[in-house]
Amino acid sequence: MGIAILSGVVASLESQSSTHPKHFFPNAKWESHTPGTSTPVESPDDPSLPSRFLACVTREDSAKKLRVTFGALGGLGGTVEVLTGRNLEAVKQADVVILCCKPQQAHPILNSDGMQDALADKLLISILAGVTISQMRGWVLPSTRVVRAMPNTPCKIREGMTVVSLLPDSAVAELDRIIILNIFSSIGRCRFLDEKHFDACTALSGSGPAFACIFLEAMADGGVMMGLPRAEALELAAQTLQGAARMTLQAGAHPAQIKDTVTTPGGCTIAGLLALEDGRVRSTIARAIQIATERASELGQPSKK
């Protein structure tokens, strides 16, 4: 996920410099659903714009792969500095730190020698599932501004959904907000919510792509059963789900409204819908979100034995 975030930021900066010289992240989607914000205007000394990129890994083989990955982006991608086993050095040189490790690695990393001092007065963004802000605040100095973000897998193609915790009060809260929007709107949509909702967000948008793919695969299987070639059935199903989702997001149509416009009296759609209701699809999907939420609340927490 760290690779996806950094790649999105770099790609957005590249497109900004080549096609929109006065606007940062021209493909950002947050203007339409984050009221009161606007696209930041670039200025020579704008502190919200990144000027250097440091990526930290633990193994040299991973570093080699990342250098190839970022180098393939061209332009700014080639300027990404990949450091192996040098977390402290990187944090000392950074203004914004994104923590993208496994949940159980957070405490050892944040409590390594010198890390607390290196993070002082800086913005720390964690994308770790289950590790709370209160936990992380116990591992850093009070001056470190700790924020949680929960992006999902489609961020890899810049169609992600990221939920960010409400920002702590500080003299630089508005700047932090712009920085966060700049980062995560480069890989999809970004929404601020209270941290108490994060377990549900983890289940809905984090695990959601897996649930959606079950439905997608089942639709394609149905098409194959009725004689469609596999590739075409999958294409039809995928584009259909994408189209319905875009109608909800872009046109503001409620899913029930979209459903009703397709459903004619005595038609094939209502017959299929009744079959779905017979299979308790609604309650099964809702229960999946509930169970995934309960599991998300256990991640990153001490095991109960």
Side-chain angles (χ1 to χ4, degrees), residues 107 110-111 124 126 130-141 144 146-148 165 195-196 300-301:
H107 183 265
L110 296 179
N111 280 270
L124 174 63
S126 166
V131 181
T132 65
I133 291 177
S134 62
Q135 282 179 286
M136 288 183 288
R137 282 177 177 165
W139 302 334
V140 299
L141 296 177
T144 302
V146 180
V147 173
R148 284 184 68 186
S165 62
E195 189 189 17
K196 67 181 181 181
Q301 303 304 311

Side-chain angles (χ1 to χ4, degrees), residues 166-235:
L166 302 180
L167 303 182
D169 291 332
S170 72
V172 292
E174 184 57 29
L175 174 60
D176 285 347
R177 179 183 175 85
I178 295 174
I179 289 173
I180 290 167
L181 286 171
N182 282 350
I183 293 171
F184 292 107
S185 66
S186 74
I187 52 174
R189 289 177 173 263
C190 182
R191 171 70 66 181
F192 288 89
L193 280 176
D194 192 281
E195 189 189 17
K196 67 181 181 181
H197 298 300
F198 261 56
D199 292 333
C201 292
T202 299
L204 186 53
S205 64
S207 301
F211 305 151
C213 282
I214 289 288
F215 194 82
L216 170 58
E217 188 177 23
M219 288 180 64
D221 284 345
V224 172
M225 182 177 69
M226 300 313 297
L228 288 175
R230 169 66 64 178
E232 283 74 8
L234 187 58
E235 180 184 16

Side-chain angles (χ1 to χ4, degrees), residues 72-268:
L73 297 176
L76 285 175
T79 69
V80 176
E81 303 169 50
V82 183
L83 307 180
T84 305
R86 296 153 63 189
N87 290 342
L88 182 61
E89 177 184 340
V91 170
K92 285 182 177 179
Q93 300 177 64
D95 297 311
V96 178
V97 177
I98 305 179
L99 189 61
C100 304
C101 61
K102 295 179 179 179
Q104 62 268 25
Q105 296 174 323
H107 183 265
I109 290 175
L110 296 179
N111 280 270
S112 59
D113 290 343
M115 187 59 73
Q116 286 191 345
D117 290 334
L119 284 168
D121 300 312
K122 295 181 179 179
L123 176 61
L124 174 63
I125 305 172
S126 166
I127 67 167
L128 310 186
V131 181
T132 65
I133 291 177
S134 62
Q135 282 179 286
M136 288 183 288
R137 282 177 177 165
W139 302 334
V140 299
L141 296 177
S143 63
T144 302
R145 306 185 302 283
V146 180
V147 173
R148 284 184 68 186
M150 182 53 59
N152 63 0
T153 302
C155 289
K156 294 179 180 179
I157 60 168
R158 300 176 69 183
E159 286 291 347
M161 181 69 237
T162 302
V163 177
V164 182
S165 62
L166 302 180
L167 303 182
D169 291 332
S170 72
V172 292
E174 184 57 29
L175 174 60
D176 285 347
R177 179 183 175 85
I178 295 174
I179 289 173
I180 290 167
L181 286 171
N182 282 350
I183 293 171
F184 292 107
S185 66
S186 74
I187 52 174
R189 289 177 173 263
C190 182
R191 171 70 66 181
F192 288 89
L193 280 176
D194 192 281
E195 189 189 17
K196 67 181 181 181
H197 298 300
F198 261 56
D199 292 333
C201 292
T202 299
L204 186 53
S205 64
S207 301
F211 305 151
C213 282
I214 289 288
F215 194 82
L216 170 58
E217 188 177 23
M219 288 180 64
D221 284 345
V224 172
M225 182 177 69
M226 300 313 297
L228 288 175
R230 169 66 64 178
E232 283 74 8
L234 187 58
E235 180 184 16
L236 265 66
Q239 181 60 36
T240 298
L241 289 182
Q242 177 177 248
R246 287 189 179 278
M247 288 179 71
T248 300
L249 290 173
Q250 295 180 1
H254 191 279
Q257 180 184 358
I258 299 172
K259 172 179 67 68
D260 288 347
T261 60
V262 182
T263 308
T264 55
C268 60

Side-chain angles (χ1 to χ4, degrees), residues 31-45:
E31 295 92 344
S32 62
H33 58 88
T34 308
T37 62
S38 59
T39 305
V41 178
E42 182 181 14
S43 65
D45 300 316

